[in-house]
Amino acid sequence: MVDLAVEAPRLRPLMFSISYRMLGSVSEAEDVVQAGLLRMHERVLGGEDIERPDAFASTVATRLSIDVLRSARRTREVYVGPWLPEPLLADNADPAHRIEHDETLSMGVLTMLERLGPVERAVFVLHEALGYDYGEIGEIVDREPAACRQVMHRARQRLAAGGARFEVDASEATRLASEFLAALREGDVDGIVRLLAPDVVLTADGGGRAPAIQHPMSGDVAVARFLVGLMRRGDALGVEAEETVANGERTLLFRGRDGAVLSVLTLHVDGGSVRSLTNQLNPDKLGHLGPVGDLFALLRDGAAGVSGSAD
């Protein structure tokens, strides 16, 4: 008989690995893990002998994630502005969140997974991230192995068409991120432009809960000038930027004077330049990182301070 008190700490990272990749949400993935462990507990209490805890955990996490995606479809269709995943920092203190950081965990791939249906996502995650064969995947998603192989082929085609990349030079990404932050702090527009691809795209997710551009911005000069303008405004408000890693990619974490998290800007590097940037500002998607600041209030107070000094 499986002892959940012993197995749970080992199974949590496995279940979280699946559900986070499928959902792009730390909070929703945590809910799936809790619900999945509860189901296992109920089965054990009912006298069922779970011979393969890993297989059971993978199956329940996948199926619950599919249910969440189907029920959340309408919510994401009416989402305010672009939708981006919740960032997962490499130094996250929760043991359940310490999962292998590979290409399938990158912001670019997680965002592209939004183009796939629930079952397509499940097949992709189970095959690419966990290395399950199509027979195992078929048992989990209730499909024939041949059908899962076809689903995987279509998923990879759709992701490739959307520009998802699967290989990144870590040392190159680290160098570019450090140079990018230095240029940003110096307000060096030309320096930033040299690091950006000409057709670079900046996407921000405020979800209507934080000030953010409503549509992606493109072009190296436009993006560089915009970011430098934001940095100058942030400097006046006591905002600090620190370099870190989120989802296996170099990232800038912005905090207010009180240390509260304000945004997470991730750099997506390819071919020696920053090809795109994603900025997560939605406070509902940053709560797992610690105290979250109120950007609207910060900007309002800053404007009031400027007005007061002018008087």
Side-chain angles (χ1 to χ4, degrees):
M1 184 72 68
V2 63
D3 185 347
L4 279 184
V6 174
E7 295 290 348
R10 184 178 65 83
L11 295 177
R12 282 180 183 274
L14 170 63
M15 299 171 74
F16 183 83
S17 178
I18 293 170
S19 52
Y20 174 72
R21 284 178 168 88
M22 287 185 62
L23 302 173
S25 167
V26 173
S27 56
E28 289 179 340
E30 290 173 340
D31 289 343
V32 164
V33 172
Q34 287 300 110
L37 289 174
L38 179 59
R39 289 195 180 186
M40 293 187 72
H41 181 67
E42 291 171 344
R43 295 287 186 89
V44 172
L45 287 180
E48 181 176 339
D49 185 13
I50 301 176
E51 297 181 358
R52 300 168 57 208
D54 291 63
F56 186 97
S58 298
T59 299
V60 73
T62 301
R63 292 179 179 177
L64 286 173
S65 295
I66 288 174
D67 290 342
V68 171
L69 287 170
R70 287 172 173 163
S71 64
R73 180 172 298 171
R74 177 58 182 164
T75 300
R76 294 192 180 183
E77 285 177 352
V78 298
Y79 191 81
V80 177
W83 181 95
L84 294 174
E86 296 179 13
L88 185 64
L89 300 188
D91 59 356
N92 192 297
D94 191 331
H97 296 171
R98 293 173 187 168
I99 58 180
E100 183 177 354
H101 286 64
D102 60 15
E103 304 84 31
T104 65
L105 201 66
S106 72
M107 280 287 174
V109 172
L110 291 179
T111 302
M112 289 297 176
L113 285 179
E114 282 291 292
R115 297 171 177 238
L116 307 182
V119 174
E120 285 181 303
R121 288 196 214 186
V123 172
F124 178 85
V125 168
L126 292 172
H127 185 70
E128 288 292 312
L130 300 181
Y132 286 19
D133 63 41
Y134 293 115
E136 295 171 311
I137 297 171
E139 291 181 3
I140 293 174
V141 300
D142 195 24
R143 297 285 196 281
E144 291 295 324
C148 291
R149 186 184 298 275
Q150 292 178 344
V151 166
M152 184 65 197
H153 178 68
R154 290 197 301 269
R156 290 195 67 88
Q157 283 186 321
R158 295 182 68 180
L159 291 173
R165 301 289 296 180
F166 296 90
E167 296 181 5
V168 177
D169 186 322
S171 60
E172 177 184 64
T174 299
R175 176 185 63 79
L176 286 172
S178 297
E179 293 180 8
F180 180 88
L181 179 56
L184 192 59
R185 284 173 170 160
E186 295 170 4
D188 182 2
V189 173
D190 291 338
I192 294 176
V193 168
R194 285 194 293 271
L195 301 173
L196 303 179
D199 58 350
V200 65
V201 176
L202 168 65
T203 305
D205 179 351
R209 301 270 287 111
I213 54 176
Q214 292 297 300
H215 303 285
M217 176 184 296
S218 61
D220 52 2
V221 175
V223 169
R225 288 176 175 171
F226 179 76
L227 291 175
V228 166
L230 286 182
M231 193 67 176
R232 286 173 177 164
R233 194 171 185 183
D235 286 342
L237 298 172
V239 175
E240 293 287 341
E242 60 188 69
E243 191 176 340
T244 184
V245 176
N247 299 78
E249 298 178 283
R250 304 310 301 185
T251 296
L252 303 183
L253 179 65
F254 291 88
R255 299 181 185 273
R257 188 177 282 110
D258 58 358
V261 176
L262 297 173
S263 75
V264 176
L265 179 69
T266 301
L267 283 62
H268 312 291
V269 174
D270 181 37
S273 62
V274 179
R275 302 291 305 183
S276 64
L277 304 100
T278 51
N279 195 18
Q280 183 56 264
L281 303 100
N282 187 341
D284 294 336
K285 296 184 176 184
L286 299 174
H288 61 286
L289 302 180
V292 180
D294 185 338
L295 264 176
F296 280 122
L298 184 65
L299 293 174
R300 184 175 60 248
D301 293 345
V306 172
S307 176
S309 63
D311 293 341

